[in-house]
């Protein structure tokens, strides 16, 4: 699979797959999009809830940007975070060493640590952040429980329709703790209906730059 580096409008990189016509992040700004969708709408509400260890599940580790931003928030707030991320097609060393998130966010050490951490093991990167990378498809993921927040960052329903279905959202719903949330950039009606059928309470909220809406889906207590 051929992947190409691209610069987005906020000066941060994304990666594109030309043969699929997809990019890992918005061309409007990779860091801006990730902060808005996954940190501000997903993680941040849990940072004030006195949870001893927040458990995040990311669907699509990709470039490692969401993981790096989450690690930085954990350190800033002195909040313990357990971060599980699945990815079937990890970036190669040649690819991730070209991505500029470490330079832009002034955190190259942690960015590289995320990518070089062993797979299939829980790796404590610092006193607040534990990373567990799993090379598995979401369709075959069946051993994750006790999650507070899911970052659903799969490719779009057009390109990965098998991941945006009621059965998949039902599986994710079962992994969440009561009061947990799933956040994603996609707010298509058919996707919201699939989430609702799986038991989620759906809220449309303002999207990142260039996108009118996104979704926060909750598991009511």
């Amino acid at each position: 699979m051929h992947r190409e580096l691209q610069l987005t409008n906020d000066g941060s990189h994304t990666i594109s797959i030309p043969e699929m016509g997809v990019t890992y992040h918005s061309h409007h700004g990779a860091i801006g999009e990730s902060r808005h969708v996954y940190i501000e709408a997903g993680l941040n509400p849990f940072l004030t809830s006195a949870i001893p260890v927040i458990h995040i599940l990311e669907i699509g580790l990709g470039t490692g940007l969401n993981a790096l931003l989450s690690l930085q928030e954990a350190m800033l707030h002195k909040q313990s975070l357990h971060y599980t991320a699945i990815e079937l097609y990890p970036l190669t060393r040649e690819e991730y060493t070209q991505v500029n998130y470490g330079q832009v966010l002034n955190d190259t050490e942690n960015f590289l640590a995320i990518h070089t951490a062993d797979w299939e093991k829980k790796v404590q990167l610092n006193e607040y952040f534990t990373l567990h990378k799993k090379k598995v498809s979401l369709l075959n993921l069946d051993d994750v429980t006790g999650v507070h927040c899911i970052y659903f960052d799969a490719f779009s329903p057009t390109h990965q329709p098998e991941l945006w279905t009621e059965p998949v959202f039902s599986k994710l719903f079962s992994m969440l703790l009561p009061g947990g949330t799933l956040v994603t950039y996609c707010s298509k009606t058919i996707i919201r209906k699939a989430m609702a059928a799986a038991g989620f309470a759906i809220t449309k909220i303002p999207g990142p730059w260039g996108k009118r809406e996104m979704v926060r889906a909750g598991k009511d207590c």
Side-chain angles (χ1 to χ4, degrees):
M1 179 172 24
H2 176 65
R3 295 185 282 215
E4 295 180 353
L5 199 65
Q6 291 185 354
L7 197 64
T8 69
N9 289 349
D10 66 2
S12 57
H13 282 138
T14 188
I15 287 178
S16 69
I17 304 177
E19 65 189 82
M20 292 177 61
V22 298
T23 59
Y24 282 57
H25 304 284
S26 169
H27 71 274
H28 291 290
I31 290 176
E33 177 192 41
S34 289
R35 276 196 173 128
H36 183 97
V37 177
Y38 301 107
I39 304 305
E40 294 172 11
L43 173 60
N44 281 359
F46 291 98
L47 292 174
T48 58
S49 57
I51 298 172
V53 181
I54 299 171
H55 188 177
I56 302 293
L57 170 63
E58 180 178 19
I59 307 304
L61 175 66
T63 62
L65 175 57
N66 296 334
L68 178 60
L69 292 173
S70 298
L71 180 153
Q72 291 183 325
E73 289 296 308
M75 295 177 66
L76 177 65
H77 293 273
K78 296 181 169 53
Q79 167 67 57
S80 293
L81 197 66
H82 186 285
Y83 198 97
T84 302
I86 66 171
E87 179 60 61
L88 267 181
Y89 305 103
L91 299 189
T92 65
R93 178 173 179 81
E94 181 181 4
E95 289 171 330
Y96 67 69
T97 53
Q98 294 182 57
V99 175
N100 69 358
Y101 303 147
Q103 292 86 354
V104 174
L105 296 169
N106 195 29
D107 204 354
T108 298
E109 181 179 354
N110 281 319
F111 178 65
L112 293 178
I114 287 166
H115 283 285
T116 57
D118 288 339
W119 289 83
E120 317 304 337
K121 294 181 180 179
K122 297 176 183 178
V123 180
Q124 188 166 350
L125 298 188
N126 59 48
E127 63 179 309
Y128 299 112
F129 192 86
T130 299
L131 176 64
H132 190 183
K133 299 191 299 188
K134 301 169 71 68
K135 197 177 293 186
V136 63
S137 165
L138 174 54
L139 300 177
N140 297 321
L141 182 67
D142 57 9
D143 60 349
V144 176
T145 58
V147 176
H148 294 97
C149 184
I150 296 172
Y151 298 172
F152 197 85
D153 199 15
F155 289 132
S156 73
T158 301
H159 297 95
Q160 285 190 306
E162 71 279 7
L163 300 186
W164 299 81
T165 65
E166 180 186 339
V168 168
F169 288 124
S170 293
K171 173 189 285 193
L172 294 173
F173 187 84
S174 71
M175 296 177 183
L176 279 173
L177 292 166
T181 60
L182 178 154
V183 287
T184 186
Y185 61 87
C186 182
S187 62
K188 289 185 176 180
T189 300
I190 190 172
I191 302 306
R192 287 187 279 110
K193 287 182 177 179
M195 290 178 178
F200 284 101
I202 309 301
T203 304
K204 291 193 294 183
I205 60 178
W209 183 28
K211 193 167 183 62
R212 187 165 59 90
E213 296 174 335
M214 59 166 284
V215 164
R216 181 191 288 129
K219 182 173 183 176
D220 291 339
C221 299

